[in-house]
Amino acid sequence: MGFYLFITLVILASNIAESLLMAANTQYTEDNIRSLDWKEHIRMRPGMYIGKLGDGSSADDGIYILLKEVIDNCIDEFVMGAGKTIEITIKDNLVSVRDYGRGIPLGKVVDVVSKMNTGGKYDSRAFKKSVGLNGVGTKAVNALSTFFKVESSRDNQIKSAEFSEGNLVDEEGPIATSKRKGTKVSFTPDEAIFKKYIYRNEYVERLLKNYVYLNPGLTIVFNGEKFFSNNGLKDLLEDNNNVEDMLYPIIHLKGDDIEVAITHSKTQYSEEYHSFVNGQHTTQGGTHQAAFREAIVRTTRDFFGKNYEASDIRKSIISAISIKVMEPVFESQTKTKLGSTDMGGGLPTVRTYINDFIGKYLDNYLHKNPDTAEKLQRKIVQAEKERKELSGIRKLARERAKKANLHNKKLRDCRVHLADMKNEKRLETTLFITEGDSASGSITKSRDVNTQAVFSLRGKPLNSFGMSKKIVYENEEFNLLQAALNIEESLEDLRYNNIVIATDADVDGMHIRLLLITFFLQFFPELIKENHLYILQTPLFRVRNKKQTIYCYSDEERRAAIDALSGKPEITRFKGLGEISPDEFKHFIGDDIRLEPVMLDKTMPIDQLLQFYMGKNTPDRQEFIINNLKVELDIAE
């Protein structure tokens, strides 16, 4: 043993000496210093500007950030009282966004989309409470698009400029026009950066709905469909939740720079928040959301005159808050978490402002609506009773989770986590949930240890349908999974942005997927509502000859691959994830990863959905399975 250790140290010392020698021979002169222009820097480090890249399977993939950056400018025009309609089309990955605001000053059309730190939002007189203030947004869109065109109409004239990868290729005007004033931006994201991407209408529509919730009176037309809201955040809660599951009618309060909507769920366990600053969806919360949570607890205690536990008051809460801040400071370019502590404009701190507003208006509402107050108090008392019943179990469960993390390899963690706000890789953080040693072993060996973690299940998880939260702590698999995700109280401390179910594509694998989805729907539905849950797609076949290998995700792709490769190619059918070597697996969880998002059908409430799929067998479900079952025969060719 000592001999092998000695040899290892000798080799290590030799390698270090060689590295030092190479460094000494490398000249460090003025030629080594290089300055990148704005577009080169954006294209080289896109994560600094738009977060993760992705292919459109996730709501926070870069292509949606590009769209959002353009729409944000249109929203700012609406907020300033210019233009009540925004028209958006997406066809064949060509995106067009047209507002009817004031239009960019014609002499600055080129500059505002191609010169960093250039824009009208630095002048707070023009944009007092704007979404973005750093002058980067549309420049990033420009630099990351193979086609980018901006047109501005105002004063009966129109000016346009066309770019490719941030480089100006054509410029026209100003010339006379009869078009209505406003700005139109069209772009096609660069496929070299956003590989094999596609815009999903579900994600685009959700983004647009948030815009109209926050801006009553605004109409957005997307591919011919209109989006409009009369009741702001009240509409948001109603559209995203089953009204019948709400404990009491939504409390909807509005002030000059604040709007909130609050209710509690009859069945949901954890807390759910939708928070916004100047129209920006702050998915990671921030100072305003923390103050909101604190204010609800303080006001509720004062109203009932009892020092209830904060977790009992907030258990099952479903709420939304929107505030407007002068020159907000976010913790990243993608603006997912507010860092500002001041409201600006002579107003108090964010914390004081929100506490004062909630303290006054929520208290008034509860006094005027005793039925709501009574239902709320009963909910708190019930939560207190359940917490005390679970206290011993929770303590033991936490101890088991700590011990498991220290002494076994159930969780192979990554180095970066979602809470690392300054890390541009944070949105790529992923937890793969696997079943079996072979599958978890392949993923563990081929993963990116910086951003990808692996959680290994032992056998099939329990069917948790209809069970209480007690089972989460009593069942070792669920307890450790909850601890790994860090979601016991709320999503605020979620450790990974993407939770990926990685199981075999056979009957057993499908069953495990269904059981895991049931677990999340039953106890943590907001993980699915907030688009954090995915299914990993892996190839079913490998078709190869001596020169080329093609991985196929369907029988149709397999037949096409056979036709594409000359001769008689070798065909391999992957029966399970464990049969895919780590070297091959790198392709399927790396740049070419295929994720299928798990989305809720808003037409069926969660409890009905679970009852249909996971409850006792019913004639309706039997008929559904028969009508939807598709069997494909695997015929060797």
Side-chain angles (χ1 to χ4, degrees), residues 77 82 99-106 151-154 181-183:
E77 287 296 299
D99 69 35
Y100 294 90
R102 294 164 294 184
I104 302 169
L106 302 185
E151 302 170 78
S152 177
S153 303
R154 60 184 285 165
K181 65 180 180 179
T183 303

Side-chain angles (χ1 to χ4, degrees), residues 325-381:
V325 178
M326 288 280 283
E327 300 186 355
V329 176
F330 296 97
E331 295 195 12
S332 66
Q333 166 60 18
T334 48
K335 309 182 185 81
T336 55
K337 187 172 185 179
L338 180 68
S340 297
T341 57
D342 293 320
M343 293 290 292
L347 294 174
T349 64
V350 169
R351 182 171 178 264
T352 300
Y353 182 81
I354 293 175
N355 267 280
D356 288 349
F357 177 83
I358 297 295
K360 178 180 179 180
Y361 291 97
L362 178 58
D363 182 80
N364 288 347
Y365 185 94
L366 293 175
H367 274 101
K368 293 177 181 178
N369 296 272
D371 288 347
T372 294
E374 183 183 351
K375 290 176 181 177
L376 175 58
Q377 188 170 35
R378 282 206 304 265
K379 180 76 173 179
I380 295 170
V381 171

Side-chain angles (χ1 to χ4, degrees), residues 297 301 306-314 380 384 387:
V297 171
R301 286 172 175 168
K306 294 187 178 181
N307 193 29
Y308 290 123
E309 283 282 330
S311 60
D312 296 334
I313 294 172
R314 295 194 302 248
I380 295 170
E384 183 179 51
R387 176 177 54 80

Side-chain angles (χ1 to χ4, degrees), residues 25 252 341 414 584 629:
N25 292 331
H252 188 207
T341 57
C414 53
E584 287 184 296
L629 184 63

Side-chain angles (χ1 to χ4, degrees), residues 202-437:
E202 299 95 333
Y203 291 150
V204 176
E205 289 173 3
R206 181 181 177 186
L207 176 69
L208 302 184
K209 284 181 179 179
N210 281 341
Y211 278 121
V212 297
Y213 295 142
L214 297 166
N215 298 279
L218 171 68
T219 297
I220 298 181
V221 182
F222 171 53
N223 286 350
E225 183 178 357
K226 288 187 177 182
F227 296 88
F228 185 87
S229 171
N230 285 313
N231 302 305
L233 296 184
K234 182 173 183 287
D235 288 341
L236 185 155
L237 293 194
E238 288 182 349
D239 290 350
N240 283 276
N241 298 276
N242 177 18
V243 177
E244 293 180 1
D245 185 51
M246 294 179 182
L247 182 66
Y248 52 83
I250 294 170
I251 301 171
H252 188 207
L253 310 172
K254 296 180 72 174
D256 291 337
D257 290 304
I258 186 171
E259 178 184 1
V260 301
I262 306 167
T263 188
H264 278 73
S265 167
K266 295 176 183 176
T267 58
Q268 186 169 305
Y269 287 93
S270 50
E271 304 170 28
E272 181 179 327
Y273 300 95
H274 306 266
S275 65
F276 304 86
V277 176
N278 294 9
Q280 167 63 36
H281 189 189
T282 44
T283 53
Q284 293 297 304
T287 53
H288 61 316
Q289 185 167 307
F292 181 48
R293 296 175 76 220
E294 175 190 316
I296 289 171
V297 171
R298 179 179 296 178
T299 303
T300 304
R301 286 172 175 168
D302 290 346
F303 178 82
F304 292 114
K306 294 187 178 181
N307 193 29
Y308 290 123
E309 283 282 330
S311 60
D312 296 334
I313 294 172
R314 295 194 302 248
K315 180 185 177 182
S316 307
I317 193 171
I318 300 173
S319 58
I321 177 171
S322 171
I323 65 169
K324 294 178 181 178
V325 178
M326 288 280 283
E327 300 186 355
V329 176
F330 296 97
E331 295 195 12
S332 66
Q333 166 60 18
T334 48
K335 309 182 185 81
T336 55
K337 187 172 185 179
L338 180 68
S340 297
T341 57
D342 293 320
M343 293 290 292
L347 294 174
T349 64
V350 169
R351 182 171 178 264
T352 300
Y353 182 81
I354 293 175
N355 267 280
D356 288 349
F357 177 83
I358 297 295
K360 178 180 179 180
Y361 291 97
L362 178 58
D363 182 80
N364 288 347
Y365 185 94
L366 293 175
H367 274 101
K368 293 177 181 178
N369 296 272
D371 288 347
T372 294
E374 183 183 351
K375 290 176 181 177
L376 175 58
Q377 188 170 35
R378 282 206 304 265
K379 180 76 173 179
I380 295 170
V381 171
Q382 180 63 27
E384 183 179 51
K385 178 182 176 183
E386 292 174 359
R387 176 177 54 80
K388 289 179 178 178
E389 289 174 352
L390 282 174
S391 60
I393 298 173
R394 290 173 72 170
K395 184 178 180 181
L396 290 173
R398 289 193 185 103
E399 290 174 356
R400 288 203 310 268
K402 278 185 180 180
K403 185 176 180 181
N405 285 339
L406 288 172
H407 298 294
N408 69 26
K409 296 183 179 179
K410 197 166 195 65
L411 172 66
R412 288 72 138 195
D413 208 355
C414 53
R415 294 169 183 164
V416 178
H417 295 103
L418 188 56
D420 302 335
M421 294 302 300
K422 299 298 182 183
N423 196 309
E424 62 185 80
K425 293 285 187 180
R426 56 183 292 276
L427 294 178
E428 297 177 21
T429 52
T430 301
L431 178 71
F432 293 101
I433 304 175
T434 67
E435 189 274 325
D437 293 335

Side-chain angles (χ1 to χ4, degrees), residues 128-166:
K128 292 182 179 179
K129 289 160 186 170
S130 173
V131 174
L133 294 167
N134 53 16
V136 173
T138 50
K139 286 82 166 178
V141 182
N142 188 356
L144 299 174
S145 298
T146 50
F147 170 80
F148 180 93
K149 185 176 183 179
V150 57
E151 302 170 78
S152 177
S153 303
R154 60 184 285 165
D155 305 324
N156 298 317
Q157 289 186 305
I158 187 170
K159 165 81 175 181
S160 66
E162 185 178 324
F163 298 79
S164 180
E165 299 179 10

